[in-house]
Amino acid sequence: MANRMWGGRFSSRPDELMEEINASIDFDQRFYRQDIEASKAHCRMLAERGIISAEDAKRILAGLDEIAREIEEGRFTFSRALEDIHMNVEARLAELIGDAAGRLHTARSRNDQVATDFRLYVRDTVDHIIGQIHALMRALAEKAHAHHAVVMPGFTHLQVAQPVTFGHHLLAYVEMFGRDAGRFADARRRLNESPLGAAALAGTGFPIDREMTAKELGFKRPMRNSIDAVSARDFVLEVLAAAAICATHLSRFAEELVIWSSAQFNFIRLSDRFTTGSSIMPQKRNPDAAELIRAKAGRVIGALVTLMVVMKGLPLAYSKDMQEDKEPAFDALDTLSLSLEVMRGMVADMEPVEEAMRAAAATGFSTATDLADWLVRELNMPFRQAHHVTGRLVALAEERGVDLPDLSLEEMRAVEPRITEDVYSVLGVENSVASRKSFGGTAPENVKRMAEWWLERLAEG
């Protein structure tokens, strides 16, 4: 027996293996809400344009509302034989209201239907993810404000470079996640056009009103080309690209949390809520949540690569290959959403170990640049010469087994006779960070102002 929804051309039903590879209902049922809302908008437009009767439209809308209730209450039976969410809904509608259900598919195809549903779903998900990014940024900015003056080592090449503040380091991630939110918002603006009414690929001869359905579904406008409307998946690619970059930022931060929470660094303490123990070593507190976020970035990046490979060789317009767009997108966006929520929780709970951070900041000759700057500023020395003098002083301190502030004035003058007692004013780590007052610098007063600026901006939405 042929599929009753499309099988007029066929005399027998598909092989079981064909059904297995062809069915998408196992995963595309998740956008039932978008499918039903798009169908309702299409139905109202058909009635408004006189393409179907007002009575049929009334019955269709009531039936669609009943199907939505059944799904939400767990009373709906999804059938793999009916392939996808569109035909499952339409088949149930026919059971509820009879032949009038068949009029709903007038002037549309599953091609524009799935493209519309997917855009609606991705748009809704992007809105949710932007909200989660903002919540993480708020948690970071609050923590930065609370610890704007806590000194820690800044690193390059994972080697101690210069002293910075903990708040300044956290605000670096606020900036990065702010750009992530911007990328999602940009992608949302571009995807917010309606494919509905493009039909299979060529449009339709019925006198439909695409502006009406676009407006009702919250789209900015209908898509201008019917072939593009059903064949484009760059809206998903763009969102997945934004997701992959965001997941990469989360992974970088997660890596730092793993390092910072180790006994060797001891820069932060993570709460019991986001750590686990060992089955054999009772002393362990493992940063498993951070490690999993670090690993899950691979899944998000992989989803982007998967869909790019699916799309790279497809001719216009629709090909069944495009059914493979949903599972990687669903998985990637679910994974990113979970990672954002977990990271927000870790940030809200974590506390810096201030003594350990400060002690580490004072090692590794972290104020060497401050010394070079002092030589330039106070002795009018060219920076390259100051760099050379400072390097000799670092070598001397290393030879003595001390840090720069521990060298005596006589030892320093043996290298550069013009050095005065005032040099010690720049060698302490607190003095170092306090001096970095340039815009975007790590001075505590800068950090506090910038944290407040971000918190105000996030509060304003």
Side-chain angles (χ1 to χ4, degrees):
M1 176 181 175
N3 187 308
R4 61 184 171 129
M5 305 303 291
W6 51 258
R9 164 76 169 76
F10 295 80
S11 59
S12 62
R13 64 174 297 138
D15 186 87
E16 287 185 7
L17 283 173
M18 180 61 193
E19 188 175 290
E20 183 69 24
I21 197 172
N22 194 46
S24 61
I25 189 59
D26 293 343
F27 52 85
D28 70 14
Q29 62 181 265
R30 75 157 58 194
F31 53 54
Y32 75 88
R33 188 177 292 106
Q34 288 82 10
D35 189 73
I36 289 172
E37 287 306 310
S39 290
K40 289 167 70 175
H42 185 67
C43 175
R44 283 189 280 264
M45 181 275 295
L46 292 176
E48 178 71 20
R49 299 293 293 167
I51 298 170
I52 65 174
S53 70
E55 182 59 32
D56 280 343
K58 184 178 179 181
R59 296 176 67 194
I60 289 169
L61 292 171
L64 289 171
D65 285 338
E66 172 58 24
I67 292 169
R69 281 192 294 272
E70 289 179 358
I71 296 174
E72 286 163 5
E73 294 169 6
R75 296 185 287 113
F76 189 93
T77 302
F78 292 100
S79 168
R80 300 187 87 232
L82 291 170
E83 298 182 14
D84 56 34
I85 186 61
H86 324 297
M87 298 207 314
N88 269 264
V89 169
E90 189 173 335
R92 178 59 178 149
L93 186 64
E95 291 173 355
L96 289 171
I97 69 171
D99 290 344
R103 301 189 186 281
L104 175 60
H105 209 54
T106 306
R108 76 174 183 185
S109 160
R110 277 193 294 173
N111 293 356
D112 64 334
Q113 192 177 358
V114 69
T116 302
D117 293 355
F118 204 11
R119 281 179 185 261
L120 290 171
Y121 178 87
V122 171
R123 189 182 70 186
D124 291 345
T125 305
V126 163
D127 289 343
H128 178 68
I129 285 175
I130 290 174
Q132 288 186 297
I133 293 173
H134 286 166
L136 173 56
M137 292 168 66
R138 190 174 302 111
L140 285 163
E142 288 171 351
K143 195 69 68 173
H145 188 269
H147 302 289
H148 65 276
V150 173
V151 177
M152 68 173 290
F155 297 93
T156 61
H157 309 279
L158 204 56
Q159 305 292 314
V160 173
Q162 292 178 274
V164 296
T165 64
F166 185 51
H168 193 56
H169 196 111
L170 295 181
L171 287 179
Y173 282 105
V174 174
E175 297 286 342
M176 293 160 75
F177 290 124
R179 292 192 294 274
D180 288 328
R183 273 183 280 271
F184 278 110
D186 288 344
R188 188 196 193 282
R189 279 191 287 272
R190 273 183 286 278
L191 72 82
N192 200 31
E193 296 182 346
S194 175
L196 193 58
L201 79 159
T204 177
F206 290 97
I208 63 173
D209 185 348
R210 293 189 63 209
E211 293 281 354
M212 176 181 171
T213 51
K215 182 178 180 181
E216 185 162 336
L217 292 170
F219 289 115
K220 188 174 182 180
R221 64 175 72 88
M223 295 183 73
R224 289 182 288 267
N225 184 285
S226 59
I227 296 176
D228 178 51
V230 299
S231 60
R233 289 298 184 271
D234 55 343
F235 71 95
V236 192
L237 287 170
E238 188 171 8
V239 168
L240 288 179
I245 296 170
C246 185
T248 300
H249 290 157
L250 285 168
S251 181
R252 293 186 71 182
F253 189 31
E255 167 72 358
E256 294 201 310
L257 296 184
V258 171
I259 293 171
W260 291 351
S261 63
S262 68
Q264 290 74 19
F265 273 72
N266 191 34
F267 283 4
I268 60 167
R269 291 193 180 96
L270 298 175
S271 74
D272 291 351
R273 297 199 310 144
F274 295 99
T275 53
T276 64
S278 165
S279 62
I280 190 172
M281 295 169 284
Q283 82 281 11
K284 294 293 292 297
R285 180 196 289 271
N286 298 323
D288 283 6
E291 291 171 357
L292 286 166
I293 289 172
R294 187 175 59 186
K296 286 179 184 296
R299 288 173 63 169
V300 181
I301 295 166
L304 171 62
V305 174
T306 295
L307 186 52
M308 292 181 77
V309 172
V310 167
M311 298 302 299
K312 70 175 181 61
L314 296 187
L316 300 182
Y318 182 84
S319 297
K320 193 70 170 183
D321 311 51
M322 291 158 72
Q323 182 169 290
E324 292 297 307
D325 59 1
K326 294 166 200 64
E327 284 184 286
F330 291 160
D331 182 73
L333 296 176
D334 287 350
T335 298
L336 180 63
S337 178
L338 175 61
S339 297
L340 285 165
E341 194 62 27
V342 171
M343 185 62 84
R344 184 204 59 76
M346 279 196 294
V347 168
D349 284 2
M350 75 176 180
E351 290 298 330
V353 183
E354 298 184 20
E355 323 80 65
M357 282 188 170
R358 194 210 175 279
T363 64
F365 311 106
S366 64
T367 56
T369 305
D370 298 274
L371 173 55
D373 289 346
W374 184 90
L375 294 170
V376 170
R377 189 171 56 250
E378 300 299 326
L379 304 185
N380 198 28
M381 191 179 288
F383 182 79
R384 283 301 166 203
Q385 183 183 346
H387 187 286
H388 178 72
V389 169
T390 301
R392 289 179 61 194
L393 289 169
V394 167
L396 178 62
E398 194 168 40
E399 182 183 325
R400 299 280 195 276
V402 297
D403 207 344
L404 283 172
D406 302 315
L407 288 175
S408 69
L409 185 58
E410 290 72 23
E411 288 173 318
M412 290 191 185
R413 282 176 169 168
V415 175
E416 171 49 61
R418 292 179 294 163
I419 292 177
T420 68
E421 190 81 29
D422 182 62
V423 73
Y424 293 102
S425 68
V426 300
L427 294 183
V429 291
E430 284 80 6
N431 293 332
S432 175
V433 296
S435 71
R436 307 293 175 180
K437 295 179 181 179
S438 59
F439 182 77
T442 192
E445 59 192 73
N446 283 13
V447 175
K448 186 177 181 182
R449 278 197 304 269
M450 190 54 67
E452 289 169 351
W453 183 86
W454 269 115
L455 289 169
E456 289 171 9
R457 187 177 181 189
L458 291 164
E460 293 167 357

